[in-house]
Amino acid sequence: MQRRKISNQSFPYPMPMVVVSSVVDDRVNHMAVGWVTRANGSPPMLTVTINKGHHTTRGIVEHRAFGVSVPPIEAVAAVDYVGIDSGDSVDKSGIFDLFYGSLEHAPLIATFPLCMACRLNLFVGEIVEAWVDEACVTNDKPDPEKMRLFCLTMPDNRYWSLGPYVAKAWGAGKGFTPPA
Ligand SMILES: Cc1cc2nc3c(=O)[nH]c(=O)nc-3n(C[C@H](O)[C@H](O)[C@H](O)COP(=O)(O)O)c2cc1C
């Protein structure tokens, strides 16, 4: 196999898109997060890699709690939207219907099929180098379809192939109008 050394920024494996929600200055805020993964089995833990400058981060640090809501495809524009505009400059609190579990500061999105209330914990691993099979490159980038990647769901322990392309990230949300 002919291998090409690529940017250490390349991690083409699909990531589950979620919305992370927190309470900032008494107002709920949401952000799109792609960098999320299961980090521990027992106790069950999620790693979310969130830039410290984000508005959402302030609420997480202050209350040490956050909500993780897993969206359906139908919500792609709203999810992308909360990943483009910051709560520093826009009010994103009314975009989704909410509910809460026992964690007072972990807002959860009522219209999304799966939601998890989380207490703050930690993570990390630096990618130093990366390579890709030349046969799996499209437009100089690793191509998820050519690599024939597959995903795992738990607790049903099933593998899934990738579904069809849905929408452009940092794009689908540009035409989205938040509810008045
Ligand atoms: C597809 C997509 C994935 C994103 N993933 C992350 C992520 O994993 N971590 C992160 O810090 N920001 C991520 N962002 C960026 C934030 O969602 C975005 O900067 C957002 O406006 C922050 O909102 P806030 O300032 O109101 O918290 C993502 C954005 C998009 C569109």
Side-chain angles (χ1 to χ4, degrees):
M1 184 189 293
Q2 186 88 4
R3 287 201 167 268
R4 181 195 295 205
K5 192 165 184 185
I6 54 174
S7 159
N8 63 351
Q9 293 287 340
S10 301
F11 185 71
Y13 213 90
M15 293 169 283
M17 276 306 299
V18 301
V19 172
V20 170
S21 310
S22 70
V23 180
V24 189
D25 298 333
D26 294 328
R27 193 171 80 188
V28 169
N29 192 66
H30 308 281
M31 67 178 281
V33 169
W35 297 4
V36 55
T37 187
R38 187 84 188 250
N40 197 47
S42 182
M45 289 192 194
L46 282 182
T47 301
V48 286
T49 308
I50 297 177
N51 193 299
K52 64 177 182 225
H54 290 325
H55 197 69
T56 312
T57 312
R58 274 182 51 208
I60 295 175
V61 170
E62 184 183 343
H63 299 294
R64 303 191 63 79
F66 57 98
V68 176
S69 299
V70 183
I73 285 172
E74 288 71 20
V76 67
V79 172
D80 198 62
Y81 174 80
V82 298
I84 295 172
D85 282 335
S86 173
D88 286 337
S89 50
V90 298
D91 180 1
K92 296 188 269 185
S93 63
I95 291 178
F96 304 109
D97 292 337
L98 305 173
F99 73 99
Y100 293 83
S102 58
L103 294 181
E104 191 189 342
H105 295 101
L108 302 167
I109 299 175
T111 50
F112 287 9
L114 177 66
C115 299
M116 292 159 279
C118 301
R119 216 173 270 120
L120 185 60
N121 217 299
L122 278 187
F123 49 99
V124 180
E126 180 185 354
I127 301 171
V128 178
E129 293 174 310
W131 290 265
V132 67
D133 177 356
E134 287 282 3
C136 296
V137 174
T138 302
N139 297 330
D140 286 331
K141 297 194 181 86
D143 185 326
E145 225 172 355
K146 289 182 179 165
M147 287 188 284
R148 297 179 51 72
L149 302 178
F150 64 97
C151 308
L152 167 70
T153 55
M154 291 175 75
D156 56 347
N157 297 355
R158 290 195 287 170
Y159 294 118
W160 302 78
S161 60
L162 294 188
Y165 163 78
V166 174
K168 189 86 187 131
W170 282 275
K174 289 188 178 161
F176 179 78
T177 311

